[in-house]
Amino acid sequence: MTEWVATVFIIVGCLLGVTGGIGLLRLPDLYSRLHAVSVTDTLCSFLILSGLALESGVSLASVKLLFIFLFLVFTSPTSSFAVANGAWQWGLRPAPSGPDTQENTSQ
Amino acid sequence: MVTAYLAAGIAILITMALGLTRALLGPTVFDRILAVNMFGTKAVLLVSVFAYFSGRPDFLDIALLYSLLNFVGVIAALRLVERGKHFANPKESCYEPHGEKR
Amino acid sequence: MAHKLRLFLTLFALWLLLSGHYNALMLGFGGISVAFVCWLTLRMDSVDKQHFVLPLTPAIPVYLARLSKRIVLSNIDVILRIMGLRPLTPRLVELSLPFSDPLNKVIYANAITLTPGSASITMSDNKLLVHTLSDDSARDLLLGDMLSIMPFQSTEQSLSLNKGEG
């Protein structure tokens, strides 16, 4: 039972990761791509790492997976804020959005 | 279960390839840094999955270390761009109305 | 002294969890390295006095639970928008911060960045510039959705709803 739950977690996490990668390619400007990266950093890594932790139960490996997750969760907002803030200070502005944004992204 | 690990590893590799494509396409240096950041996060996940795939939990230490190094690397690259004004081309700082770079 | 002892014990517990070796020689090496790290930390403390104390109250688990729920919901939302099932309407929003202490500001901006679909870009004295992927999440933020889950509520949460277009 636990094994099935773990498998489902890992597969869903990987699907989220691939979707985030597609978003990184497909979204129109840097500030939108931040959100795609944010998807892969939060729920995707949580699902994959907790799937692996479920697989090994209560052990030192699970503790290490928990630490990896904590590091990722604490550092990912910091680094994405650093990227956004650096780009903003440097003078990068979001692409003008209009009703035709959807067409532009699916080129 | 090994099949699931294999599928997960392949999916993570696909994600890394997508991130690498964005890093090569740019267009600004910040897009590249963002893509490399995601690439590093995926590398951490790939190493963790590989630890279970090969049945050697020691690899988790490498993943742990890499998750720290990745963060420090991204911050260092940003400092280089910001302070040294390296690699950041001011002509890239505004977008054309159609979402493409000039 | 209590601070130093707490630091040493925390680091040693971390070392024990990460190493998984429990014979005398390895424990000795671990003790030496932890003492070295403690010395480094204290030495750096003499230069860098900037630290915040996070009060450990029962409000924190509640905050984490509510934040996780929002993270999951906004993940699904962003995924649908990436797939093109919902429209993409990127917006820049300026939120006014009803806090004056840095800790609350950091928690708030961090929560906004951690939820996909909204990312804080820059912060001035009491203004936070946020980029959102959709009109809906911009509206939620302006209505104080993220403010309502803050663990340390400040009394002056008057929301002046001023927004800026990008």
Side-chain angles (χ1 to χ4, degrees):
Chain A
M1 182 59 203
T2 319
E3 195 162 297
W4 280 106
V5 175
T7 313
V8 168
F9 269 32
I10 292 173
I11 296 300
V12 173
C14 289
L15 287 179
L16 283 183
V18 173
T19 319
I22 293 170
L24 189 66
L25 271 186
R26 192 169 170 267
L27 291 179
D29 66 342
L30 172 78
Y31 298 103
S32 310
R33 287 175 201 139
L34 279 178
H35 306 306
V37 172
S38 178
V39 167
T40 67
D41 276 357
T42 54
L43 200 57
C44 164
S45 60
F46 171 73
L47 285 176
I48 292 181
L49 292 177
S50 62
L52 293 179
L54 277 178
E55 184 56 28
S56 61
V58 181
S59 64
L60 278 183
S62 300
V63 174
K64 279 176 195 167
L65 288 171
L66 177 70
F67 275 115
I68 294 173
F69 176 66
L70 283 184
F71 282 138
L72 285 182
V73 159
F74 277 115
T75 57
S76 97
T78 313
S79 56
S80 76
F81 174 75
V83 170
N85 196 32
W88 183 265
Q89 302 290 351
W90 178 64
L92 187 72
R93 293 294 175 266
S97 69
D100 56 343
T101 316
Q102 189 64 43
E103 282 77 50
N104 289 337
T105 55
S106 56
Q107 46 195 315
Chain B
M1 206 56 209
V2 172
T3 322
Y5 295 146
L6 191 63
I10 292 171
I12 293 173
L13 281 174
I14 291 172
T15 315
M16 287 168 89
L18 290 169
L20 205 57
T21 316
R22 175 45 74 193
L24 290 175
L25 286 178
T28 65
V29 66
F30 298 102
D31 290 284
R32 299 178 209 270
I33 294 176
L34 189 68
V36 168
N37 180 20
M38 196 196 86
F39 189 84
T41 314
K42 293 293 114 179
V44 172
L45 293 182
L46 182 67
V47 172
S48 325
V49 170
F50 184 74
Y52 278 74
F53 178 68
S54 64
R56 290 194 290 188
D58 313 340
F59 275 102
L60 288 179
D61 293 324
I62 301 174
L64 195 57
L65 207 62
Y66 199 79
S67 69
L68 289 173
L69 273 181
N70 178 37
F71 173 65
V72 176
V74 166
I75 299 296
L78 278 169
R79 293 284 280 199
L80 178 70
V81 168
E82 185 189 341
R83 289 296 167 85
K85 306 286 179 206
H86 289 118
F87 313 117
N89 184 0
K91 277 191 203 143
E92 290 174 341
S93 65
C94 42
Y95 282 90
E96 284 280 295
H98 283 286
E100 275 293 307
K101 286 324 221 56
R102 268 182 217 145
Chain C
M1 195 57 216
H3 170 67
K4 290 176 193 171
L5 196 66
R6 206 162 53 216
L7 180 69
F8 185 85
L9 288 180
T10 314
L11 285 177
F12 202 70
L14 183 69
W15 185 88
L16 282 179
L17 281 176
L18 290 185
S19 79
H21 290 285
Y22 301 113
N23 54 7
L25 180 68
M26 282 298 165
L27 283 179
F29 285 155
I32 291 171
S33 61
V34 167
F36 178 65
V37 171
C38 279
W39 175 71
L40 277 184
T41 312
L42 294 174
R43 192 166 167 274
M44 288 203 292
D45 254 358
S46 66
V47 183
D48 184 8
K49 288 281 183 198
Q50 203 182 28
H51 48 247
F52 296 107
V53 178
L54 188 69
L56 288 175
T57 59
I60 291 180
V62 179
Y63 162 73
L64 289 180
R66 287 172 170 172
L67 182 64
S68 318
K69 184 189 148 208
R70 275 167 178 75
I71 287 176
V72 171
L73 289 180
S74 59
N75 259 299
I76 295 167
D77 181 64
V78 170
I79 291 287
L80 291 179
R81 283 180 207 280
I82 288 174
M83 294 297 209
L85 301 177
R86 288 186 189 173
L88 279 176
T89 47
R91 290 272 303 271
L92 275 179
V93 180
E94 205 173 49
L95 300 174
S96 60
L97 294 169
F99 323 106
S100 49
D101 56 318
L103 184 64
N104 265 326
K105 282 184 189 175
V106 165
I107 293 176
Y108 186 52
N110 225 2
I112 285 178
T113 311
L114 205 51
T115 24
S118 59
S120 41
I121 294 178
T122 179
M123 185 191 271
S124 59
D125 264 350
N126 55 356
K127 289 268 191 278
L128 182 66
L129 191 68
V130 176
H131 185 269
T132 63
L133 203 52
S134 65
D135 282 334
D136 296 337
S137 54
R139 197 179 54 236
D140 284 350
L141 282 176
L142 284 170
L143 290 176
D145 181 51
M146 204 50 96
L147 274 181
S148 62
I149 69 167
M150 290 291 291
F152 314 115
Q153 300 281 351
S154 58
T155 49
E156 13 126 32
Q157 284 196 351
S158 56
L159 296 175
S160 52
L161 302 178
N162 49 354
K163 47 182 158 178
E165 286 276 342

